[in-house]
């Protein structure tokens, strides 16, 4: 099926039933910054959830910088090739080990508890890393850091999407990955400032400072409300309703928008949760779910195997290969590239949501292919001629790579994942993405230094071939998910049954009576499903996709 034809809503009367909440949201012309409650929500989100990615950015940039810190090199006996790859790869390996238990924590204990748990683990890992006395202790610390980050990432990305107002949801989830560069800039600046310290504090200071983002999450997560969708799924509808009223309607309890939004969330969850086991089997239970599984798996591979790992973790040997050997120069390039990444990633995060998701992902993969092919050609030219022009060309292409990657894989990855998966498998869906992303990261970070050291520019050809495959996969497999609420996307792949479910939910939104009583009832259960009798479980509903 062509990705552009994944439409699941039909017409019913004067407007599509599935677009009611989206239409009401767009009719609200008051910007978020003029709404005190919503403004406060977004400000708290920044350190508590959106800032989670600062840890990953700090990690990659710090390890890049430490490779140009003499005291670190001396302490660990100048690690190269396999040993350097193992140091880098322990971070994603920790994530791989922890991921099977992530959905249980996020779905059973709540999004906030999962962020808190993961951040606490990372604080412990960061302290251990800074205090490392030998190679093994450093590896264990990085393993613990990688274990903690996945709990925080999966829950925080879900929480941002589930708490944000529908008007700003896409932009807020796009900004989630931008914080990677805040961490990267901080680490690059710190290592630039400490690389000349003649003792071990030259590398211990950056290592200890990796706990700062996690300290922010632990401090601010208490002020952030829980996901209304998670609360409704646990029979706490009154609490969910209060959150929606406070932040999405500025305290207006008779808001038509909140009434429609609450009803849409409640009725959609009833369809999703009726007779489901909330188990891993749900991820593969229907053709539509299996298609989501394939897309999220390959997206995880794409975010790590598009060449970005080379720049993120092994910039120093890449610069060595084009004749740049001075450690201070390497740290300046690292810092400059991180600053440039923050600028273009922020701009792209604030603008790409205006365009269809699939079109942006296509532009992203095609741009990466062009840049990386040119990078490979220029690297071959330098090895053959040692010309300064080819060296400068590679350096320029490293900077051009940043916006090419960021327009899709940085700005839209979590936005797309939150939209792709229904609530009852959202944490598992993002976990699947994280598993493949960490597996790809572990493999590439272990293999990259070996490939760069042994094959030089020829190693880049493998990436060029893979990126060409990415272009084809996005074209044929990625659906369009823009301009819809999360509930409107629940039945993205479910054909006629999905259209019927959307129609019934739309009718409920338009004709719901006794709304106050319904909210009170939801405090005890979400079993008010008489109007859905005969449709069976979510698994049955999703089983007849054609």
């Amino acid at each position: 099926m062509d990705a552009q034809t994944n439409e699941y809503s039909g017409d019913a009367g004067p407007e599509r039933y599935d677009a009611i909440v989206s239409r009401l949201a767009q009719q609200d012309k008051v910007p978020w910054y003029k709404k005190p409650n919503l403004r406060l929500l977004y400000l708290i989100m920044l350190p508590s959830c959106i800032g989670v990615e600062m840890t990953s950015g700090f990690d990659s940039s710090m390890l890049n910088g430490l490779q140009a810190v003499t005291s670190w090199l001396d302490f660990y006996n100048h690690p190269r090739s396999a040993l350097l790859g193992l140091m880098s790869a322990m971070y994603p390996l920790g994530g791989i080990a922890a991921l099977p238990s992530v959905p249980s924590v996020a779905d059973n204990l709540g999004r906030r508890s999962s962020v808190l748990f993961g951040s606490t683990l990372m604080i412990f890992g960061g302290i251990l890393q800074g205090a490392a006395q030998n190679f093994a202790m450093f590896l264990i610390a990085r393993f613990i850091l990688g274990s903690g980050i996945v709990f925080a990432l999966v829950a925080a990305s879900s929480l941002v999407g589930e708490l944000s107002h529908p008007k700003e949801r896409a932009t807020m989830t796009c900004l989630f990955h931008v914080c990677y560069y805040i961490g990267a800039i901080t680490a690059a600046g710190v290592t630039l400032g400490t690389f000349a310290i003649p003792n071990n504090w030259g590398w211990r200071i950056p290592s200890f400072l990796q706990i700062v983002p996690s300290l922010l999450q632990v401090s601010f997560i208490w002020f952030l409300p829980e996901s209304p969708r998670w609360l409704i799924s646990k029979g706490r509808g009154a609490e969910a309703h209060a959150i929606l009223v406070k932040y999405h309607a500025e305290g207006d309890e008779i808001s038509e928008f909140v009434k429609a939004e609450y009803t849409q969330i409640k009725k959609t969850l009833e369809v999703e949760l009726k007779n489901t086991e909330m188990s891993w089997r749900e991820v593969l239970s229907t053709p539509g779910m299996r298609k989501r599984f394939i897309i999220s798996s390959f997206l995880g591979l794409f975010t790590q195997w598009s060449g970005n790992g080379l720049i993120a973790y092994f910039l120093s040997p890449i610069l060595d290969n084009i004749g740049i050997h001075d450690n201070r120069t390497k740290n300046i390039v690292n810092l400059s590239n991180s600053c440039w990444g923050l600028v273009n990633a922020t701009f792209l995060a604030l603008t790409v949501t205006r365009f269809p998701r699939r079109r942006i992902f296509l532009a992203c993969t095609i741009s990466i292919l062009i840049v990386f092919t040119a990078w490979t050609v220029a690297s071959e030219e330098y090895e053959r001629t040692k010309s300064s022009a080819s060296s400068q060309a590679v350096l320029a292409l490293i900077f051009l790579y940043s916006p090419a990657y960021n327009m899709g894989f940085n700005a839209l990855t979590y936005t797309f994942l939150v939209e792709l998966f229904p609530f009852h498998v959202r944490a598992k869906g993002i976990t699947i993405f994280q598993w493949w992303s960490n597996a790809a990261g572990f493999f590439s970070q272990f293999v990259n230094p070996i490939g760069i050291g042994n094959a030089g520019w020829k190693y880049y050809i493998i990436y060029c071939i893979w990126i060409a495959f990415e272009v084809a996969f996005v074209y044929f497999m990625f659906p369009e998910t823009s301009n819809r609420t999360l509930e409107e996307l629940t039945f993205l792949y479910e054909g006629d049954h999905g259209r019927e479910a959307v129609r019934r939910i739309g009718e409920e939104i338009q004709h719901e009576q006794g709304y106050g009583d319904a909210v009170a009832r939801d405090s005890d259960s979400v079993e008010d499903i008489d109007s859905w009798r005969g449709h069976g479980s979510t698994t049955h509903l999703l089983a007849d996709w054609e």
Side-chain angles (χ1 to χ4, degrees):
M1 177 183 292
D2 185 88
Q4 291 172 304
T5 65
N6 286 323
E7 296 292 337
Y8 54 89
S9 60
D11 291 330
E15 66 173 322
R16 286 186 331 214
Y17 281 116
D18 71 318
I20 295 171
V21 175
S22 293
R23 176 181 59 79
L24 290 172
Q26 293 306 318
Q27 286 178 351
D28 179 4
K29 302 300 182 184
V30 180
W32 65 270
Y33 52 83
K34 291 186 177 180
K35 300 176 179 179
N37 291 346
L38 189 61
R39 183 173 66 235
L40 177 63
L41 176 69
Y42 291 161
L43 288 175
I44 296 174
M45 271 188 190
L46 183 59
S48 61
C49 279
I50 298 177
V52 166
E53 272 285 40
M54 288 190 288
T55 299
S56 294
F58 194 102
D59 184 80
S60 63
S61 187
M62 181 195 71
L63 202 61
N64 243 336
L66 290 181
Q67 293 171 57
V69 175
T70 302
S71 61
W72 184 83
L73 293 170
D74 291 341
F75 189 85
Y76 291 108
N77 297 316
H78 292 259
R80 288 289 183 268
S81 194
L83 286 179
L84 181 59
L86 184 61
M87 277 185 158
S88 174
M90 289 304 290
Y91 187 78
L93 183 62
I96 293 170
L99 277 167
S101 59
V102 170
S104 296
V105 176
D107 287 336
N108 295 324
L109 301 182
R111 311 311 199 201
R112 294 195 312 166
S113 296
S114 185
V115 172
L116 183 62
F117 177 70
S119 299
T120 304
L121 271 181
M122 287 187 283
I123 291 171
F124 176 70
I127 293 172
L128 195 65
Q129 179 177 255
Q133 299 300 307
N134 51 51
F135 184 78
M137 191 171 175
F138 192 81
L139 292 184
I140 292 170
R142 292 187 54 72
F143 183 90
I144 294 171
L145 281 164
S147 300
I149 189 65
V150 292
F151 283 95
L153 277 177
V154 171
S157 57
S158 298
L159 187 55
V160 171
E162 293 167 4
L163 263 179
S164 298
H165 191 285
K167 278 205 310 181
E168 293 89 30
R169 175 183 52 77
T171 300
M172 295 301 291
T173 48
C174 281
L175 289 171
F176 183 79
H177 222 13
V178 170
C179 286
Y180 174 96
Y181 287 102
I182 297 176
I185 290 169
T186 304
V190 170
T191 52
L192 179 61
T194 64
F195 88 100
I197 294 177
N199 55 51
N200 287 333
W201 286 107
W203 65 268
R204 291 194 188 277
I205 290 173
S207 296
F208 277 125
L209 288 178
Q210 191 164 353
I211 71 172
V212 171
S214 299
L215 287 174
L216 290 174
Q217 277 109 57
V218 169
S219 300
F220 284 92
I221 195 67
W222 307 100
F223 303 101
L224 195 70
E226 184 54 87
S227 162
R229 290 162 176 85
W230 183 82
L231 290 170
I232 292 174
S233 74
K234 298 301 180 182
R236 296 160 63 181
E239 294 175 56
H241 176 249
I243 291 170
L244 293 175
V245 167
K246 179 177 180 178
Y247 295 108
H248 290 189
E250 294 299 306
D252 181 6
E253 294 190 2
I254 61 171
S255 165
E256 287 298 316
F257 171 74
V258 166
K259 179 178 179 179
E261 183 184 30
Y262 179 86
T263 303
Q264 185 187 57
I265 294 171
K266 178 173 73 74
K267 295 301 178 183
T268 303
L269 286 177
E270 285 173 358
V271 179
E272 287 189 53
L273 300 178
K274 182 185 178 185
N275 298 329
T276 61
E277 300 176 14
M278 296 288 283
S279 69
W280 279 101
R281 285 195 295 270
E282 288 293 316
V283 179
L284 298 173
S285 60
T286 68
M289 286 298 181
R290 289 190 287 274
K291 193 166 187 178
R292 291 179 174 96
F293 173 86
I294 291 170
I295 292 170
S296 64
S297 298
F298 275 94
L299 183 57
L301 296 177
F302 294 166
T303 57
Q304 294 298 323
W305 282 355
S306 296
N308 52 306
L310 294 170
I311 300 172
Y313 283 93
F314 304 107
L315 185 59
S316 181
I318 289 173
L319 295 178
D320 281 330
N321 285 348
I322 58 172
I324 299 174
H325 303 292
D326 178 67
N327 282 346
R328 179 174 175 81
T329 302
K330 290 179 181 179
N331 272 308
I332 290 173
V333 171
N334 186 28
L335 177 59
S336 300
N337 192 47
S338 297
C339 291
W340 165 234
L342 177 63
V343 171
N344 70 68
T346 303
F347 172 78
L348 289 166
L350 295 174
T351 55
V352 295
T353 55
R354 302 175 186 178
F355 305 96
R357 310 279 191 261
R358 181 172 172 273
R359 189 177 301 171
I360 293 297
F361 274 118
L362 277 173
C364 168
T365 50
I366 292 170
S367 299
I368 291 173
L369 179 60
I370 293 170
V371 170
F372 215 88
T373 302
W375 179 351
T376 304
V377 171
S379 297
E380 186 277 334
E381 177 71 13
Y382 178 81
E383 184 175 295
R384 187 165 47 84
T385 66
K386 303 300 180 184
S387 68
S388 61
S390 55
S391 175
Q392 292 168 6
V394 172
L395 196 58
L397 288 163
I398 288 172
F399 280 81
L400 285 174
Y401 179 90
S402 180
Y405 180 90
N406 287 343
M407 82 168 74
F409 293 139
N410 182 287
L412 285 180
T413 292
Y414 286 102
T415 302
F416 184 69
L417 287 168
V418 169
E419 293 171 345
L420 184 66
F421 285 95
F423 170 82
H424 75 290
V425 290
R426 184 166 295 134
K428 294 180 177 66
I430 298 176
T431 297
I432 290 165
F433 160 82
Q434 281 290 329
W435 194 93
W436 285 102
S437 177
N438 279 273
F442 173 78
F443 177 83
S444 63
Q445 287 169 32
F446 185 77
V447 171
N448 278 340
I450 300 173
I452 294 170
N454 294 338
W457 69 269
K458 297 182 183 70
Y459 181 63
Y460 303 153
I461 296 174
I462 299 172
Y463 279 97
C464 292
I465 296 170
W466 174 259
I467 296 166
F469 167 74
E470 292 181 8
V471 175
F473 188 93
V474 169
Y475 181 81
F476 288 107
M477 293 294 292
F478 273 35
E480 185 51 62
T481 61
S482 59
N483 298 319
R484 300 189 187 279
T485 67
L486 298 182
E487 282 64 45
E488 291 162 8
L489 288 163
T490 295
F491 307 104
L492 179 65
Y493 284 125
E494 277 61 63
D496 291 340
H497 281 279
R499 282 189 284 272
E500 175 64 13
V502 168
R503 186 187 67 80
R504 286 175 173 266
I505 292 171
E507 289 176 343
E508 290 281 355
I509 294 172
Q510 289 190 327
H511 303 122
E512 180 85 5
Q513 299 294 325
Y515 179 67
D517 294 338
V519 172
R521 288 197 305 272
D522 290 337
S523 300
D524 301 317
S525 72
V526 289
E527 297 299 322
D528 180 21
I529 52 176
D530 289 342
S531 64
W532 297 95
R533 189 172 290 123
H535 288 278
S537 68
T538 305
T539 302
H540 175 73
L541 253 178
L542 308 185
D544 296 313
W545 174 72
E546 297 179 0

